[in-house]
Amino acid sequence: MPPSVETLRCLNPVLEERFPVQKCGNCVEEAVVNEEEICLCPKEGETSGQVSRGGVRVRAKASTLGWWLSQCTLRRMAPVLVMALLLTTVWVSVKRTFPLPKTQPGVRYHAIPWHRHRPRARSSKTLPLMPPFTFDPAQLSLDAQTERIMDIYCRGPLLHAVQMANVFPDSKHFVDMPLKQNTSVFDVLVDFQRRQLALTDFQPDNELVPHVQRLHAFLDDHFDPPGADMEPITPFDYQEHVTPPLVAGIQNAELREWALALHRLWRHLGRMPKKHVTSSFLHAKPLKDVHLHRKQNVLIVPGGRFRESYYWDSYWIVHGLLVSNMKQTARGIVNNLLEYVAEFGFVPNGGRVYYLTRSQPPMLSDMVKLVARVDEQNAQRVTYDVSYLRSVVPILEQEYSFWMQRGPGGHAVELERPSRDDPEKKETHVLNRYISNANHPRPESYREDVDVAAEIYGDTVLSDHGNARETEANKVRYYNDVIAAAESGWDFSSRWLRNSYDMGSMETSCVVPVDLNAILYRMERNLMTFHAYLKNQKRAKIYEDAAKARQRAMDAVLWSDDAQTWKDYHLDNHTHSTIVSVSDYSPLWAKAFDPDDEERLERVIHSLKHSGLLQKGGIQTTTTFTGQQWDAPNAWPPEQDMVIEGLLAVNSASSHTLARTLSKTWIETSLAAWRMTGLMFEKYNATEIGGLGVGGEYFPQFGFGWTNGVVLKMLTIHQNLLLE
């Protein structure tokens, strides 16, 4: 049946833009056509004034052959054919005169007019200054289907109504619900309008309960439960009855059995996206390069409410998979992230369309370094899969370009400091920050963001006319800083707050974080290593110089003589952060220090010992108790690994002793919680052995991808630390 006129009237402009519109040959009225053509023209003998919009007449479509015979006459088609021939001639002439540049490996061209094409990756001798950049998801050139999906999961009245009516306790619940097989995005949006479910700002309390019930009925009609778009699957290279060699080599019997149990958890965390299901899952387009082809589209999810893959989680998951001898799955995860970079220019926060507003700490080059290694016995040096590196390096450079964009909306910022050679002269340094220009709440935490913004800045609708614009601008700035904090992976922490206890003082984009710049230093060193291995000495020199420049910048801007370590830097007041954070010691993990300056390194170790971060249950993220999950007393697995690896990189007696102590502490904490619950958690309480983490926007999740990876790595690769 065709849609009624009432249905047509309720279609909003968004639908009219998203879906095709056909016109009757005689009338100027527009109508969305389904199986039949809707015509609003007057019948014979009627005038246009005699036909009301309620008098919709439906006439059956003529057969295809009949339509062509009646419409495609030579008289009508001749001008069209002449014009097409003329345009073709002009186009061929222009192409011969101004040919397009040839596409090179690793170079991606924007879909813009031919005369403005510019390659993203350059092979110049120096890294060029990037132009001012404002990240806008609308600039991603998303396909039409993804744009339509975003009208449900990322924006619009449907998202607002479901989230603000508090239909589900967790805002992430709705945006992870796939559409039923017998419905479509068009059907959902039209039915939402037809049922008049849009939530106004002044919904009476006595109508809110039945409104929520109607929303529930609507969702039951069109959506499946969250996560139904992902098929649980055992990774193909998982071997149930075979103990991985590294696990078999664990000397302690109890720890070996524990490691084997963690190895078996991979079969419960494997997921494969279902085909032909419409949902918020972010599908990556397969790369044509045979060396990057994924034989199986298997992903490893963290667990709990996190039903999709996440960027920086994957680094420690890959570590764990390699311990489990699941190299095929590990490389498949990395290739999936490479597909994202090839398509979007960066790796999104996670594998959902609503994560396209930000990335996460750029760990991809380190993951490539892990999966590209070739095992050879008695090898004198590390060897890599050359064909794989040749395919991967241009994509890694594309991601590096994303992070090095400058300007008001870019991740890279310039800072001036007195030159070390001549203090009277200024030296310009380039460092990085987290930033977002999404200008809206996080869809997966929509209600939480809107409520906090309203609590801080008041309701825009209720504001005086003169202050409404300022109120809305403050909210937008808050939303962007919240998303930038989510990009850091530390959502949330006092590191991003001017006032540690006031979410309204969020200023993430004004902070130059130590850990982000340490990670980018590692990326530059990795790119240098890859190019050198591929005999691209000029490119290797470029990234070697970039890494050296970043190390100088970190020492000039981030180093604090008072704290005797590196500190986050505030761009607004040009001061170091007063927050004591485990991030302060991430340059040790990145090896962004002078190994010959032993005295300075000992001062850093001394600073760590007396920082207050080291507790009996692990290393807490900060020493500030705010109720945020990335503050005290929580201890997160990635930070334990980075600190321990950093101490081992210093390679002194004191650092080695401390690394051994911290390794034993973390294994004791994780094992104690495992004994009590039989579960692995995303975070723990550093103030007690085996205690669960606290605070944040949700209850501590179990599973858990990166926790398993860190423990498996410590039990095998760093087993010597546990035995000494």
Side-chain angles (χ1 to χ4, degrees), residues 265 269 302-303 306 313 680-682 701-709:
L265 287 179
L269 297 176
F306 302 111
D313 293 57
M680 300 294 287
F681 293 88
E682 63 169 348
Q701 303 296 295
F702 59 87
F704 196 85
W706 65 12
T707 310
N708 305 346

Side-chain angles (χ1 to χ4, degrees), residues 521-564:
Y521 175 86
R522 287 260 294 215
M523 179 189 286
E524 290 159 347
R525 296 289 298 181
N526 289 338
L527 285 170
M528 178 201 74
T529 300
F530 297 156
H531 276 297
Y533 196 84
L534 296 174
K535 310 300 183 184
N536 301 330
Q537 299 304 330
K538 291 184 178 180
R539 297 297 293 171
K541 185 63 167 58
I542 290 174
Y543 289 102
E544 181 182 12
D545 292 343
K548 289 180 179 179
R550 186 177 299 277
Q551 184 175 340
R552 288 196 304 271
M554 293 172 67
D555 287 342
V557 178
L558 304 181
W559 176 260
S560 169
D561 288 327
D562 294 335
Q564 287 299 303

Side-chain angles (χ1 to χ4, degrees), residues 126-128 130 311 362-367 369 393 396-406 411-413 429-433 514-533 536-554 589-593:
T126 59
L127 291 175
M130 299 298 175
Y311 184 6
M363 310 291 291
L364 184 54
S365 68
D366 276 298
M367 288 185 247
K369 198 171 185 178
V393 167
L396 293 178
E397 290 186 320
Q398 191 174 345
E399 185 192 26
Y400 181 73
S401 295
F402 166 81
W403 285 98
M404 294 309 295
Q405 298 283 359
R406 305 187 192 185
H411 286 85
V413 294
H429 300 284
V430 178
L431 291 171
N432 291 75
R433 61 177 173 174
V514 175
D515 48 359
L516 172 59
N517 286 280
I519 292 170
L520 285 169
Y521 175 86
R522 287 260 294 215
M523 179 189 286
E524 290 159 347
R525 296 289 298 181
N526 289 338
L527 285 170
M528 178 201 74
T529 300
F530 297 156
H531 276 297
Y533 196 84
N536 301 330
Q537 299 304 330
K538 291 184 178 180
R539 297 297 293 171
K541 185 63 167 58
I542 290 174
Y543 289 102
E544 181 182 12
D545 292 343
K548 289 180 179 179
R550 186 177 299 277
Q551 184 175 340
R552 288 196 304 271
M554 293 172 67
W589 167 80
K591 300 182 182 179
F593 55 80

